[in-house]
Amino acid sequence: MTRLNVIREGEGPIVVLSHALGCDLHMWDEAAAVLARAHTVVRYDHRNHGGSEVVPGTFSLQALADDAAALIEREAEGEPVHFVGLSMGGMTAQALAPKYPQLLKSIVIANSSAHYPDQAPWRTRVETVRAQGVAAIAPGALARWLTPAYVATPEGTEAARRLNDTLVGTDAAGYIASCDAVSAIDFRESNRAFTTPTLVIAGLRDEATPLAMSEAMVAAIPGARLATIDAAHLSAVERPVEFSQLLIDFWRSL
């Protein structure tokens, strides 16, 4: 079993938060603080990220879903959870839902995609990291993650600094394996097998996973709802209170 770094806080219905590629569980700090007022919030670092185990070799998104399922079984002790994934975390959610519906009360897929038709940017990113290290791709990643207007604020400047440090500190081989797993996803058919209530959140300024990618997931997932947020790719960082309120409103409606 993959050793995962986990933080658990608060009391109430269990919410599991799953972060983006090149980030760690601290991506959720502000949103988790809001949610923990009325929920048990469990957040974790994916394999090859943060304080979790770096697992040698290649893997698929299904392996990340299996990691998450083992975590849920351990942390929730049979109680189904609200699973919230952003970007790579949202892909983990898409691999998790058809295979482990019994573990899930609801799914939120934020700033994510079911498929990447164009592999070229991923190949370029992997080749750059292989040749120059993760630091070489950090400025481009930060530019996609947060809007310039947010980065210009004091809290945005600090968030960008923390995110940059986390990304640059990510194991290069582990990051490359993660990029390969993300770029290979194709959930277009399996999303039709969802039986779990699902909310899809799109960032209106998200250039990494534009609105059309969210709309395609909503079209495939039975009964899925779409919400939008005025943010770039890391919407939960840029708009944590608004993001958390979308989740709470969704859970209340179930």
Side-chain angles (χ1 to χ4, degrees):
M1 193 183 293
T2 310
R3 184 189 54 75
L4 300 180
N5 181 42
V6 180
I7 290 179
R8 181 183 179 120
E9 56 214 321
E11 276 184 48
I14 299 175
V15 178
V16 177
L17 303 177
S18 182
H19 67 75
L21 173 68
C23 297
D24 67 5
L25 57 77
H26 293 294
M27 187 201 91
W28 295 108
D29 281 355
E30 282 75 20
V34 176
L35 295 170
R37 292 172 197 161
H39 301 84
T40 300
V41 179
V42 176
R43 47 196 168 123
Y44 68 99
D45 294 332
H46 287 283
R47 63 168 70 191
N48 300 359
H49 288 72
S52 288
E53 183 180 350
V54 176
V55 182
T58 60
F59 63 90
S60 69
L61 250 294
Q62 192 60 58
L64 295 190
D66 294 343
D67 288 348
L71 170 80
I72 292 166
E73 284 169 345
R74 191 171 67 247
E75 290 287 333
E77 297 175 342
E79 181 190 334
V81 305
H82 297 295
F83 190 90
V84 182
L86 189 146
S87 191
M88 184 170 76
M91 297 164 197
T92 303
Q94 290 174 83
L96 189 68
K99 187 174 178 183
Y100 299 102
Q102 74 281 6
L103 299 180
L104 302 167
K105 203 178 287 182
S106 75
I107 286 278
V108 177
I109 302 166
N111 303 88
S112 198
S113 183
H115 178 61
Y116 287 102
D118 184 7
Q119 295 294 307
W122 288 105
R123 283 196 296 273
T124 302
R125 192 187 307 192
V126 163
E127 285 158 13
T128 303
V129 172
R130 198 167 272 135
Q132 301 171 52
V134 181
I137 58 97
L142 264 293
R144 290 188 298 275
W145 283 355
L146 305 169
T147 62
Y150 175 66
V151 174
T153 66
E155 61 267 31
T157 302
E158 176 59 21
R161 184 193 63 75
R162 288 200 316 266
L163 289 163
N164 180 75
D165 290 351
T166 300
L167 177 57
V168 170
T170 304
D171 179 83
Y175 182 81
I176 287 169
S178 303
C179 286
D180 288 341
V182 166
S183 64
I185 60 165
D186 191 351
F187 300 117
R188 289 175 294 180
E189 281 307 312
S190 56
N191 278 354
R192 300 181 190 283
F194 268 45
T195 56
T196 306
T198 303
L199 174 68
V200 177
I201 299 176
L204 294 175
R205 298 168 191 259
D206 187 349
E207 294 173 9
T209 51
L211 178 60
M213 289 182 167
S214 289
E215 289 171 340
M217 288 186 286
V218 171
I221 296 169
R225 305 177 207 176
L226 177 67
T228 59
I229 192 164
D230 189 17
H233 191 54
L234 297 189
S235 60
V237 174
E238 192 162 335
R239 302 266 182 169
V241 175
E242 194 179 327
F243 186 94
S244 301
Q245 195 58 51
L246 288 175
L247 306 187
I248 292 163
D249 291 345
F250 171 56
W251 297 331
R252 279 184 183 147
S253 74
L254 297 177

